[in-house]
DNA sequence: TATTTTTGTAATTGATTAATCACTAAATTT
DNA sequence: AAATTTAGTGATTAATCAATTACAAAAATA
């Protein structure tokens, strides 16, 4: 059995945070709920994250890091690039649904430090995608990249709101 | 000078609510701020809206109603439909920025009655657009409609986060 | 084994804020 | 002009929760 080091305690709390934030949103999530899910006391959360905001930022940052990394790991010939990236996104949204939800939530949180992370995340995904599309010689890559991002965002929203019709163009 | 009837008092509060919600988000907006903006006392807000939630719902509902109506008012020949609808959307986002912001905010509010209004709003816009596209004989109308919605949503987000690069493909 | 550090909790606080209560003044109606 | 309704406010309450404090037990170290 794995020893409970300081680092994996922090990891447990972050994971618990992701779950609670994904379900309740930022403002309705309480640090007591996070603690309960991590099976520790409420004050102990603050030994690892100075504030609730800091915990949310860690969660949001992880969500954006993972999706970016997922795209970076995609290997494909130019004409299959877009398809492969969509595939990668779909796998991610099944394997890490809480991180998708947290991305949606992060967008309308008004606390400046959180909003800044959301902006950075979206901005990075957009520029990485654009560069990748350009390199692959995709025509009208600016437009394709922003459409790609837009459709991805709408998928997230569709998932978060449980409104499948938004994107369900009868899966081929 | 216009008499202050009961109805236009309610309207003033709704308008104040739209402003405050757009700026602060749902959870960080206080009924005291709404009252101040409407130049009345905080308790008086509750004479017109039973709860803060009810006020937000009224605001969100208006936002979705207006955008739907805006699309319904678009007249265009089939080959100009999409362009005209984009134009209409752009005008709306200049004339009613707070309603755009409230749409973004509404999406990640977790209170069920609010989420239901957000779902209904998005759903209606999507189906109206789809029917309109179909009628205009647009090819692959399912995909075009969801792309249209997705790009609109990304515009809203881009506006709300003040992140113009997300959509700015050097306006032609 | 005495000491210090680490891991953890129970109890409390301090601030915030939606919503209610108790009331007054002004219109309106009888 | 008395009675009632409408428009409005100041003061308070009741609940919630992030964050702190003040400890205790266990582990590690000297």
């Amino acid at each position: 059995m794995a020893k409970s080091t300081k680092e994996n305690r922090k990891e447990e709390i972050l994971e618990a945070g992701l779950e609670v934030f994904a379900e309740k949103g930022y403002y309705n999530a309480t640090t007591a709920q996070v603690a309960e899910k991590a099976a520790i006391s409420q004050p102990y959360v603050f030994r690892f994250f100075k504030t609730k905001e800091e915990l949310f930022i860690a969660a949001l940052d992880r969500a954006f890091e993972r999706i970016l990394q997922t795209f970076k790991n995609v290997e494909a010939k130019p004409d299959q690039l877009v398809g492969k990236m969509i595939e990668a996104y779909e796998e991610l949204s099944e394997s890490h649904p809480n991180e998708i939800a947290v991305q949606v939530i992060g967008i309308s949180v008004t606390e400046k430090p959180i909003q800044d992370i959301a902006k950075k995340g979206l901005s990075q995904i957009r520029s990485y995608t654009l560069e990748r599309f350009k390199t692959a010689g995709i025509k009208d890559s600016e437009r394709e990249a922003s459409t790609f991002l837009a459709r991805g965002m709408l998928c997230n929203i569709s998932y978060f709101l449980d409104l499948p019709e938004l994107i369900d163009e009868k899966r081929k």
Side-chain angles (χ1 to χ4, degrees), chain A:
Chain A
M1 211 213 309
K3 198 185 85 189
S4 185
T5 68
K6 194 187 278 199
E7 270 318 296
N8 65 30
R9 237 314 127 83
K10 187 166 186 175
E11 177 59 29
E12 286 165 17
I13 296 171
L14 178 51
E15 193 52 49
L18 270 162
E19 286 178 44
V20 176
F21 288 131
E23 189 188 333
K24 315 264 180 178
Y26 177 65
Y27 301 98
N28 283 330
T30 72
T31 56
Q33 290 163 343
V34 173
E36 189 181 2
K37 192 144 289 192
I40 57 169
S41 68
Q42 182 257 344
Y44 201 38
V45 170
F46 292 86
R47 280 281 221 294
F48 297 87
F49 298 93
K50 276 201 290 291
T51 62
K52 173 183 168 178
E53 182 174 296
E54 194 179 277
L55 173 59
F56 186 80
I57 285 175
L60 186 58
D61 209 57
R62 163 163 303 189
F64 279 119
E65 280 304 321
R66 193 186 310 274
I67 192 165
L68 189 59
Q69 200 50 57
T70 298
F71 287 147
K72 286 185 176 172
N73 288 339
V74 169
E75 286 176 54
K77 284 174 281 173
D79 61 308
Q80 297 199 331
L81 180 63
V82 179
K84 289 276 184 190
M85 281 180 73
I86 290 172
E87 230 174 82
Y89 166 82
E90 281 168 352
E91 279 168 30
L92 176 67
S93 64
E94 284 203 22
S95 63
H96 296 82
N98 295 333
E99 296 182 11
I100 299 292
V102 163
Q103 277 180 48
V104 175
I105 290 160
I107 284 169
S108 42
V109 166
T110 51
E111 276 72 12
K112 183 72 163 39
I114 294 178
Q115 214 170 64
D116 285 346
I117 298 295
K119 288 169 76 162
K120 192 188 82 186
L122 285 175
S123 190
Q124 281 180 350
I125 292 171
R126 142 101 184 171
S127 37
Y128 178 77
T129 305
L130 178 58
E131 285 318 303
R132 197 79 195 266
F133 281 17
K134 276 185 183 164
T135 304
I138 290 172
K139 277 292 144 207
D140 213 349
S141 49
E142 291 264 355
R143 166 163 271 266
E144 290 303 323
S146 84
T147 300
F148 178 81
L149 190 66
R151 296 185 64 92
M153 210 51 239
L154 190 65
C155 280
N156 289 351
I157 290 169
S158 158
Y159 167 80
F160 182 71
L161 292 181
D162 189 32
L163 199 62
E165 45 187 299
L166 276 193
I167 42 163
D168 233 13
E169 34 174 314
K170 50 189 86 76
R171 302 240 140 273
K172 311 138 222 201

